[in-house]
């Protein structure tokens, strides 16, 4: 069936067909769409690396076009993907501000990469400067949304100062018609009624870490100076967060090693009562543990149980993303307890590594050579030419900076492309996928 001698359509360069048993699963890393095609039909309409447009029915053309698998020959997809990345980087209407109220912590997890500074705490002067900075960003950029995060260390060791910043931001954002959201990266042991009252109905997400079931967790996440575990306290505090406001969400981060999924009864008991619409699971392998040490059968069995519960999940290295790292955005920064300013939370907060300094007027004195490294870095050619480029979960400026011209792919160098796509499909919370 030939509609045109020279079809005006072409196959997406980001189309990835994967054998999924009785069907071929196609994923497009630019449109983020899935489609399933019966194997016999796939053989008839796909050859090499492209769809045979002349063999497609009008209905198939409409379906493939609507999902980004075929498109006009005039469209340059690589340029679209690069432009989208830099568009996100340069967006000045949204502001992502993270505060480290302290670099101290009350737990002693053996794998933590942060350099804890005992007794460190944000001063009243820096609190005031942060508040002035929020005001300044509105006057300077007329921001329309503010994502205000708290990191550390354990940020809730400085709950009083945290509450002061939130109270100011809420009032200012309400007066200035700025949409505001909150995010806490916390170990979940120091939640207070005062904090929940100050948050009120402002949308807030708490990222709280568990290390498996209670026995495993309590052997790792102990209070400093004792062997007392924290699992039960965290479980109680998660319930408080959920019950205090319908706008609160939990991002439950599970740091796993070789033993995490051998016994998960207590972990499952914590998760099962949670409303799937208000919780997300984010699984991360402890970075000192190799992939070869992980019991992948036990990991997949756990993921399958969570999938049946309808819990949204992402698995480090397998969950493909449409967004970029906050650190790569021009309009984002991290203010340390001492007023030093950084771009990335996954690095040591030493003065030598800072990108700027917040003054008492709320203005950042940037070290522009370092700021440029993050916001206007050159995407490595191997990345921009990669079939996963528009959905890459691991391309970030920090990795490019540290590679010093010898960037190694953290995704495809370690995993098979088909395996990544199939796991992403499994993890995705998608409606019924269209079929040909």
């Amino acid at each position: 069936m030939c509609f045109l001698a020279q079809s005006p359509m072409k196959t997406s360069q980001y189309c990835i067909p994967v054998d999924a048993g009785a069907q071929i699963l196609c994923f497009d890393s630019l449109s983020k769409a899935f489609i399933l095609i019966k194997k016999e039909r796939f053989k008839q309409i796909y050859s090499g690396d492209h769809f045979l447009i002349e063999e497609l029915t009008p209905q198939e053309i409409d379906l493939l076009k609507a999902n980004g698998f075929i498109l006009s020959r005039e469209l340059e997809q690589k340029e679209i993907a690069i432009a989208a990345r830099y568009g996100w980087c340069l967006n000045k209407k949204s502001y992502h501000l993270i505060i480290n109220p302290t670099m101290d912590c009350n737990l002693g997890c053996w794998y933590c990469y942060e350099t804890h500074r005992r007794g460190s705490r944000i001063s009243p002067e820096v609190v005031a400067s942060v508040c002035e900075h929020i005001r300044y960003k509105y006057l300077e950029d007329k921001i329309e949304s503010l994502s205000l995060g708290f990191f550390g260390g354990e940020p809730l060791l400085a709950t009083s100062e945290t509450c002061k910043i939130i109270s100011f931001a809420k009032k200012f954002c309400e007066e200035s018609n700025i949409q505001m959201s909150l995010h806490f990266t916390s170990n979940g042991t120091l939640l207070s009624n005062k904090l929940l009252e100050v948050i009120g109905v402002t949308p807030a997400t708490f990222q709280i870490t568990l290390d498996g079931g209670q026995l495993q967790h309590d052997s790792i996440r102990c209070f400093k100076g004792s062997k007392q575990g924290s699992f039960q306290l965290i479980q109680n505090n998660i319930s408080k967060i959920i019950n205090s406001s319908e706008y609160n969400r939990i991002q439950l981060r599970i740091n796993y090693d070789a033993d995490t999924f051998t016994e998960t009864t207590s972990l499952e008991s914590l998760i099962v009562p949670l409303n799937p619409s208000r919780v997300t699971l984010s699984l991360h392998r402890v970075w000192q543990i190799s992939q070869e040490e992980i019991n992948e059968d036990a990991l997949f069995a756990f993921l399958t149980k969570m999938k049946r519960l309808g819990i949204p999940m992402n698995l480090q290295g397998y969950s493909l993303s449409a967004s970029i790292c906050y650190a790569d955005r021009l309009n984002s920064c991290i203010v340390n307890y001492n007023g030093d300013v950084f771009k990335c939370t996954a690095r040591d907060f030493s003065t030598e590594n800072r990108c700027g300094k917040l003054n008492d007027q709320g203005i950042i004195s940037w070290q522009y050579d370092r700021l440029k490294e993050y916001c206007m870095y050159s995407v490595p050619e191997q990345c921009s030419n990669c079939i996963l480029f528009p959905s890459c979960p691991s391309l970030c400026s920090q990795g490019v900076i540290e590679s010093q011209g010898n960037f190694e792919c953290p995704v495809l160098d370690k995993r098979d492309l088909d395996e990544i796509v199939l796991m992403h499909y499994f993890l995705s919370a998608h409606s019924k996928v269209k079929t040909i």
Side-chain angles (χ1 to χ4, degrees), residues 245-290:
S245 168
E246 63 180 302
Y247 301 102
N248 288 344
R249 301 288 183 271
I250 299 292
Q251 184 177 13
L252 200 57
R253 174 169 173 146
I254 300 176
N255 290 340
Y256 64 91
D257 60 20
D259 303 316
T260 302
F261 300 107
T262 54
E263 199 294 304
T264 58
T265 303
S266 52
L267 177 59
E268 292 168 26
S269 297
L270 183 153
I271 295 171
V272 166
L274 300 176
N275 184 335
S277 68
R278 298 179 64 188
V279 63
T280 300
L281 296 187
S282 184
L283 291 85
H284 296 253
R285 175 170 50 84
V286 174
W287 62 277
Q288 294 94 334
I289 304 296
S290 69

Side-chain angles (χ1 to χ4, degrees), residues 173-184:
C173 287
E174 183 177 353
E175 294 172 346
S176 305
N177 196 29
I178 300 170
Q179 185 178 357
M180 176 181 166
S181 60
L182 294 166
H183 189 279
F184 301 86

Side-chain angles (χ1 to χ4, degrees), residues 296-311:
E296 294 190 347
D297 289 340
L299 168 60
F300 189 74
F302 176 77
L303 292 173
T304 300
K305 290 178 182 178
M306 298 299 103
K307 177 84 171 178
R308 288 172 181 158
L309 292 173
I311 305 287

Side-chain angles (χ1 to χ4, degrees), residues 26-202:
C26 290
F27 171 70
D28 188 87
S29 66
L30 182 60
S31 69
K32 316 300 184 290
F34 292 105
I35 197 165
L36 286 164
I37 305 176
K38 295 176 183 178
K39 276 190 174 178
E40 193 61 35
R41 183 59 180 151
F42 184 77
K43 291 177 183 177
Q44 298 169 348
I45 63 175
Y46 197 90
S47 177
D49 61 357
H50 62 279
F51 284 100
L52 303 172
I53 308 295
E54 68 276 7
E55 298 297 332
L56 297 171
T57 68
Q59 293 78 13
E60 289 170 339
I61 288 178
D62 288 344
L63 182 60
L64 291 169
K65 186 177 179 181
N67 288 277
F69 291 97
I70 60 174
L71 62 152
S72 168
R73 287 185 177 276
E74 297 176 356
L75 291 177
E76 295 293 337
Q77 289 181 288
K78 182 177 176 180
E79 297 304 318
I80 292 172
I82 292 175
R85 173 169 288 274
Y86 283 117
W88 285 323
C89 289
L90 300 175
N91 177 19
K92 298 189 73 174
K93 293 304 179 184
S94 297
Y95 192 45
H96 193 147
L97 175 63
I98 301 173
I99 313 299
N100 293 338
T102 175
M103 284 307 298
D104 201 351
C105 189
N106 60 328
L107 298 186
C109 309
W110 68 268
Y111 55 71
C112 185
Y113 62 82
E114 295 290 1
T115 302
H116 293 148
R117 292 171 174 80
R118 187 179 180 86
S120 60
R121 198 177 185 106
I122 191 169
S123 67
E125 291 77 18
V126 176
V127 169
S129 295
V130 168
C131 295
E132 285 303 311
H133 180 64
I134 294 172
R135 191 196 311 275
Y136 169 79
K137 286 302 294 184
Y138 173 71
L139 296 175
E140 180 73 10
D141 292 335
K142 292 296 185 289
I143 58 172
E144 297 172 358
S145 65
L146 171 68
S147 173
L148 181 59
F150 295 89
F151 192 76
E154 171 46 52
L156 300 189
L157 280 169
T159 292
S160 177
E161 292 85 349
T162 296
C163 286
K164 288 178 182 177
I165 294 171
I166 294 172
S167 295
F168 170 84
K170 283 181 64 176
K171 186 174 185 295
F172 183 79
C173 287
E174 183 177 353
E175 294 172 346
S176 305
N177 196 29
I178 300 170
Q179 185 178 357
M180 176 181 166
S181 60
L182 294 166
H183 189 279
F184 301 86
T185 301
S186 168
N187 60 40
T189 63
L190 295 171
L191 184 74
S192 67
N193 291 332
K194 177 184 177 182
L195 177 67
L196 294 176
E197 289 171 4
V198 170
I199 292 172
V201 296
T202 303

Side-chain angles (χ1 to χ4, degrees), residues 82 85-86 376-384 389 395 400:
I82 292 175
R85 173 169 288 274
Y86 283 117
M376 294 302 293
Y377 70 99
S378 297
V379 175
E381 187 175 356
Q382 71 187 80
C383 297
S384 62
F389 172 58
L395 175 60
V400 174

